[in-house]
Amino acid sequence: MFSSLPFGYMFLFVMSVGSLLSISSIHWLSIWAGLEINLIGFLPLLIYQKNISESESAVKYFVIQALGSSLLIFGSLMAFNLSFTWDLYSSYYFSTFGFVILSIGLCIKLGVFPFHYWLPGVMAGLSWFSCLLLATWQKLAPLFLLLCFLELNKSYEMIYMFCLVSAGSSLMGGFGGMNQTQIRALLAYSSIGHLGWMVFAISHSEWTMKMYFLIYIVISLSMFMSLWLNNSSPMKNISNLKTSNMMQGSIMLLLLSLGGLPPLLGFISKLLVIIIGSKGPWLLIIFVLILGSLMSLFYYLSLFFSFFLNTTKSYGLSNMSVNGTIIVMINVFNIIGGVIILMTNLMNSIYAMTIFY
């Protein structure tokens, strides 16, 4: 999974520094260099166990990231050719085509529609720790760079392109998970669907995107840590976990939270995006996003009911292991966190209406 030797922490540090460098930079060249440093630090973590599946996934990931980096440096050179500077804020010198090239490169790195084809195949062969990093930290820099690019060129063409990407990602995340039998591939398609919601939030509200991404990190961390503790790979192993029914039910509750079932924490992030998107002429895109989430909830609920209908063993709370107790506490945190955020936004809305009137 993850080596506790010093080189493991060194590669984690290099990966983190690369992402932070690309986010905090104001030059195209250093943005590209930060993403490459992040890639250099992440690849050794993928091939640590020297499994054939992990090596294959690492090669796929390297090829795709190299393609995205090449498009990113191509767009950067277009900016340099017209402005003779690597400054990020000199981008008003070139047309929307340069932003489209840069956005395509970042979309390839993220794994959103129509460049989502590589993410399930890569994730299916990785360890749980690598999947956790790929689903959370590796999305940080490209997402915030997309946000920065849209702030620099907030034209209707770019907003329409982002909305189409978000709608396609949500649909692909729903359709792709229908026939999956492995949890890793299922979570990869779920990640594609959530990325669609985040890309839509980017084009409308920076705060909503950050809140959605934070909630997604919390739920994904709980989900991957739960599966890491149980070492579950095929879907059928969920009903044969080594721990109690409480552990199995907690994992299923986390899956439903990923799907956005109310009143869990995953529903709050989607509700915020719906509220923001309903203020403009984007009701069709909102409908498509909700349709993709409903398809995700369909196979999550199917798995949920099949698990509870086929379970024959019964365990009490006294038989629950320490790991099961930790997972139950995580789920309680998800429910309480969702209620707290919902009540906070409701009180803020009431307060704003009181001041307005």
Side-chain angles (χ1 to χ4, degrees):
M1 291 294 182
F2 175 70
S3 175
S4 59
L5 295 176
F7 68 84
Y9 296 101
M10 181 190 69
F11 288 129
L12 276 177
F13 177 75
V14 171
M15 181 187 71
S16 305
V17 167
S19 296
L20 295 177
L21 174 63
S22 61
I23 292 174
S24 59
S25 178
I26 61 171
H27 296 278
W28 294 110
L29 190 60
S30 52
I31 288 173
W32 170 79
L35 292 174
E36 293 304 303
I37 293 172
N38 171 265
L39 178 62
I40 291 171
F42 185 57
L43 282 177
L45 297 175
L46 301 183
I47 59 175
Y48 166 68
Q49 291 185 338
K50 300 180 180 179
N51 293 335
I52 295 178
S53 59
E54 290 190 0
S55 301
E56 181 181 354
S57 296
V59 172
K60 291 179 182 177
Y61 183 76
F62 174 75
V63 171
I64 294 299
Q65 296 299 310
L67 177 61
S69 297
S70 63
L71 290 176
L72 187 66
I73 197 64
F74 175 65
S76 304
L77 288 173
M78 289 179 61
F80 180 79
N81 186 39
L82 294 177
S83 60
F84 294 102
T85 177
W86 293 105
D87 192 358
L88 182 67
Y89 298 102
S90 66
S91 54
Y92 57 85
Y93 284 108
F94 67 108
S95 63
T96 307
F97 178 73
F99 280 101
V100 170
I101 296 296
L102 290 167
S103 300
I104 288 175
L106 291 174
C107 288
I108 291 176
K109 284 182 168 292
L110 274 175
V112 295
F113 176 85
F115 312 105
H116 61 279
Y117 49 86
W118 63 270
L119 187 58
V122 169
M123 246 177 132
L126 298 179
S127 63
W128 288 118
F129 182 74
S130 301
C131 286
L132 173 63
L133 292 178
L134 182 59
T136 54
W137 182 261
Q138 293 301 98
K139 309 296 186 201
L140 180 67
L143 270 177
F144 278 84
L145 288 174
L146 278 178
L147 177 63
C148 179
F149 294 162
L150 191 62
E151 290 296 327
L152 291 174
N153 185 13
K154 206 162 189 177
S155 61
Y156 285 107
E157 294 84 359
M158 294 294 295
I159 294 177
Y160 286 142
M161 186 186 75
F162 275 47
C163 289
L164 289 177
V165 167
S166 64
S169 298
S170 182
L171 287 177
M172 288 300 106
F175 278 119
M178 291 290 184
N179 298 321
Q180 291 301 318
T181 57
Q182 281 195 346
I183 302 180
R184 287 181 175 89
L186 183 66
L187 292 176
Y189 281 107
S190 176
S191 176
I192 294 171
H194 283 287
L195 283 172
W197 285 82
M198 282 184 263
V199 170
F200 181 80
I202 284 174
S203 58
H204 292 82
S205 173
E206 178 181 351
W207 179 86
T208 305
M209 188 276 290
K210 292 178 180 178
M211 182 59 66
Y212 195 107
F213 188 56
L214 180 62
I215 293 175
Y216 174 70
I217 287 177
V218 171
I219 301 174
S220 297
L221 183 63
S222 307
M223 187 76 232
F224 283 107
M225 291 300 292
S226 306
L227 295 170
W228 188 0
L229 290 174
N230 288 280
N231 197 19
S232 301
S233 179
M235 184 70 72
K236 59 185 179 182
N237 283 356
I238 284 188
S239 59
N240 296 317
L241 295 176
K242 302 175 183 178
T243 53
S244 66
N245 284 351
M246 188 65 72
M247 170 71 84
Q248 301 169 10
S250 299
I251 292 177
M252 298 307 304
L253 192 62
L254 284 169
L255 283 173
L256 293 179
S257 183
L258 269 180
L261 184 71
L264 301 178
L265 186 59
F267 167 73
I268 305 301
S269 55
K270 289 182 170 58
L271 181 62
L272 294 175
V273 176
I274 291 173
I275 292 173
I276 293 298
S278 60
K279 296 179 180 178
W282 311 106
L283 292 180
L284 180 60
I285 304 297
I286 290 292
F287 175 76
V288 174
L289 290 174
I290 295 175
L291 181 62
S293 292
L294 287 177
M295 287 189 288
S296 300
L297 271 177
F298 170 75
Y299 52 77
Y300 285 148
L301 286 172
S302 300
L303 182 63
F304 183 81
F305 288 119
S306 65
F307 156 68
F308 278 107
L309 291 176
N310 294 331
T311 302
T312 57
K313 297 180 181 180
S314 61
Y315 294 86
L317 289 176
S318 59
N319 291 330
M320 190 168 56
S321 64
V322 177
N323 292 340
T325 306
I326 295 173
I327 304 306
V328 171
M329 292 174 62
I330 290 173
N331 284 280
V332 172
F333 170 76
N334 272 278
I335 297 174
I336 295 176
V339 174
I340 289 174
I341 293 177
L342 181 61
M343 294 303 295
T344 303
N345 283 279
L346 182 61
M347 293 178 65
N348 288 334
S349 300
I350 295 174
Y351 179 70
M353 291 174 63
T354 304
I355 293 177
F356 179 76
Y357 290 109

